[in-house]
Amino acid sequence: AAEDDLPVVTFGNLMSEGTALSRRGQHDKALGCFNDALKLRAGDKHCLITRSKCYLKLGDTENSLKDAEASLQIDKTFSEGLYQKAETLYTMGDFEFALVFYHRGRRLRPDLHKFQLGINKAEEAIVNCIGNPSLVKLENKEELCFVSRQAEIKKDQKQQNKPTKDQKQMKKKSPKTEQQLLGALYADKAFLEKLLKDEDLMQSSTRQGIKVMDLVLGGISYLNQRRDFWQQQKPMYARLYERKVLRQQQMRDKKEKPSDISKSIAKDMEDIDLLLARGSAEESCRKAERLLKRIQAWSENEVPNKCELIGNLHSCIGNAQLAMGQMEAALRSHKMDLDCARQNALTDGVSRALDHIGHVYARTGKFQQAINAWEEKIPLAQSSLEKAWLFHEIGRCYLELGKAEEAQDYGQKSLQSADEEGDVEWQLHATVLVAQAQVKLKDYPSAIMTFERALEKAKLVPSEAAQHAIIA
């Protein structure tokens, strides 16, 4: 009888308890819950990621990485797995590898801005570690050659003093030629040759017993080898030709190079997205409008993907206007994006614009127009996940219009797509939509069963707020 009174331990209960403990900072206890949950449902990708986060908070990066990789072995396109792997690699200091997985995640889920933020912080960390490559200027200074010079000195110490041979070598090249070949090192060579004329100094020795003449000749010998090496690598006629070509390029490059323009645009686009994500919609909008004017002034040769960028900027401006509550302006911007994409047969642009137009209509209560835009987007949806949220949004609009049967139909379609993707969160949203439609249709027994299924899904997410809402 006592055993019958014990509560039944389920996967959902363990996940909920583990998440609650983790939020309170009791990561060791939370880890135990996740371990037990995985015994009940081995290989559950959502549980693996939750445990990976727990390991990371405990500083166990090795096990955190193992769990993230295990979730990706189950599902290569699992966005949470990619993000967690990137975060773990970043914590481990493997910024380059972290950057790779942030980029993969952003390609898969461009709607999740955390991947873009990950890219930004990984790139910043790399620059902080190794410096900005564009700012690094290598100089051929004497110090860089210290090891090689010491080797030459040791070699020359074994030989007899042969000043005449080195002096002959010096005469082989004219001073002008040597200066061009040695560059900044020519002054060093001239100084050493001047020292050779000081007979008293040449006969003296250092504290270590090395003759000064040996050191000077060693230095001159090394510089002669450098001169001969550069002569072989890049003869004088090649240098003259290079200078001529460089002058021609400088004349041509008075205008901004296309490659520089592309880099500048990419940086500005990143800043625009980042400003909006941080809540600076007004600043994001202003920056996008300024960039749009600049791009419109450039030619197709300078910016090969000009039409695509113009559409993209209209989209960015529309998103910023929506965030500022400027609904009519946002709708105009997204319609300009749609026109631009249609004129240039840009399928991705058409899909993006229809998505945003639907959102603006839905926010302003024009549910039928939102449905029209989103239903036009359906054939352009590229993944089950995209279809899951698209069908859900259409179903939600039908529910708002009081068309419960259509809402239920789209809720079922959304659930099917979420099942194909294996996304628990969208399975939850779709199930709740179906249950609400069934309530509107007064099919209460079915609605209760569907709400119960939704509650099970809510325990897997886990979301305490969702659970309370469904129970209510």
Side-chain angles (χ1 to χ4, degrees), residues 106 110 113 116-117 120 266-280 284 287-288 312 315-316 319:
R106 189 180 66 170
H113 201 73
Q116 183 58 57
L117 295 174
N120 295 339
K267 177 71 173 66
D268 285 343
M269 292 296 286
E270 197 175 292
D271 289 344
I272 289 161
D273 287 341
L274 203 57
L275 284 166
L276 185 59
R278 287 173 177 169
S280 306
S284 175
K287 196 172 181 75
N312 207 333
S315 180
C316 291
N319 287 337

Side-chain angles (χ1 to χ4, degrees), residues 79 87 91 102 125 148 280 310 325 357 382:
S79 61
E87 285 283 280
T91 307
Y102 285 129
S148 301
S280 306
I310 287 171
I357 288 167
Q382 293 182 342

Side-chain angles (χ1 to χ4, degrees), residues 342-390:
R342 280 178 174 159
Q343 284 164 18
N344 296 284
L346 300 167
T347 310
D348 288 347
V350 172
S351 181
R352 175 188 65 219
L354 288 169
D355 175 16
H356 291 144
I357 288 167
H359 276 297
V360 178
Y361 277 133
R363 283 276 294 273
T364 52
K366 295 176 181 176
F367 299 114
Q368 189 56 56
Q369 288 97 319
I371 288 167
N372 296 341
W374 281 329
E375 284 186 337
E376 192 180 340
K377 176 183 161 69
I378 291 169
L380 305 176
Q382 293 182 342
S383 68
S384 297
L385 189 64
E386 192 177 1
K387 285 177 185 172
W389 67 255
L390 183 57

Side-chain angles (χ1 to χ4, degrees), residues 81-297:
L82 286 168
Y83 183 74
Q84 185 58 21
K85 183 168 182 179
E87 285 283 280
T88 306
L89 288 165
Y90 180 86
T91 307
M92 293 168 81
D94 290 343
F95 305 125
E96 294 89 345
F97 284 116
L99 186 60
V100 169
F101 288 96
Y102 285 129
H103 272 294
R104 284 187 192 173
R106 189 180 66 170
R107 282 198 298 273
L108 186 71
R109 288 293 302 274
D111 56 310
L112 294 178
H113 201 73
K114 63 184 178 181
F115 285 114
Q116 183 58 57
L117 295 174
I119 290 167
N120 295 339
K121 72 178 181 183
E123 285 177 347
E124 191 178 338
I126 291 164
V127 169
N128 287 340
C129 286
I130 64 170
N132 190 334
S134 63
L135 300 176
V136 176
K137 184 180 177 184
L138 290 177
E139 294 179 8
N140 191 4
K141 288 189 176 177
E142 210 178 334
E143 286 82 359
L144 299 175
C145 312
F146 178 77
V147 176
S148 301
R149 188 176 301 171
Q150 290 301 311
E152 283 295 334
I153 290 168
K154 285 180 183 176
K155 184 179 174 183
D156 288 343
Q157 282 172 2
K158 294 178 183 176
Q159 298 176 353
Q160 295 297 321
N161 296 340
K162 296 177 182 177
T164 52
K165 186 178 176 183
D166 281 304
Q167 282 158 2
K168 282 177 188 175
Q169 281 182 349
M170 281 181 262
K171 289 173 187 176
K172 282 181 186 175
K173 308 286 178 189
S174 72
K176 187 179 178 182
T177 305
E178 279 204 323
Q179 193 168 5
Q180 288 174 325
L181 288 165
L182 286 170
L185 293 174
Y186 178 74
D188 297 334
K189 187 165 187 286
F191 174 71
L192 291 173
E193 285 171 350
K194 191 177 177 182
L195 287 181
L196 271 180
K197 292 174 184 176
D198 188 334
E199 291 180 9
D200 292 337
L201 179 65
M202 288 305 101
Q203 295 304 317
S204 63
S205 301
T206 65
R207 288 179 183 177
Q208 288 78 23
I210 303 168
K211 280 190 177 180
V212 173
M213 181 182 279
D214 291 344
L215 291 170
V216 172
L217 289 175
I220 292 171
S221 173
Y222 170 77
L223 291 170
N224 283 341
Q225 286 179 357
R226 287 290 87 195
R227 176 199 65 198
D228 295 340
F229 170 77
W230 286 117
Q231 173 67 9
Q232 184 184 19
Q233 291 295 311
K234 204 177 282 186
M236 294 311 298
Y237 64 82
R239 288 161 186 262
L240 291 168
Y241 174 74
E242 271 188 6
R243 275 199 292 276
K244 184 181 175 183
V245 170
L246 187 62
R247 276 197 297 272
Q248 289 171 348
Q249 282 177 347
Q250 284 168 348
M251 293 296 287
R252 284 199 306 268
D253 292 350
K254 281 184 180 177
K255 290 185 176 181
E256 204 174 354
K257 291 180 185 176
S259 61
D260 292 339
I261 291 171
S262 296
K263 285 175 187 173
S264 170
I265 290 170
K267 177 71 173 66
D268 285 343
M269 292 296 286
E270 197 175 292
D271 289 344
I272 289 161
D273 287 341
L274 203 57
L275 284 166
L276 185 59
R278 287 173 177 169
S280 306
E282 219 172 311
E283 199 178 338
S284 175
C285 190
R286 280 200 301 270
K287 196 172 181 75
E289 285 169 345
R290 285 198 300 269
L291 182 57
L292 181 60
K293 284 179 185 174
R294 280 172 59 205
I295 288 172
Q296 285 168 336

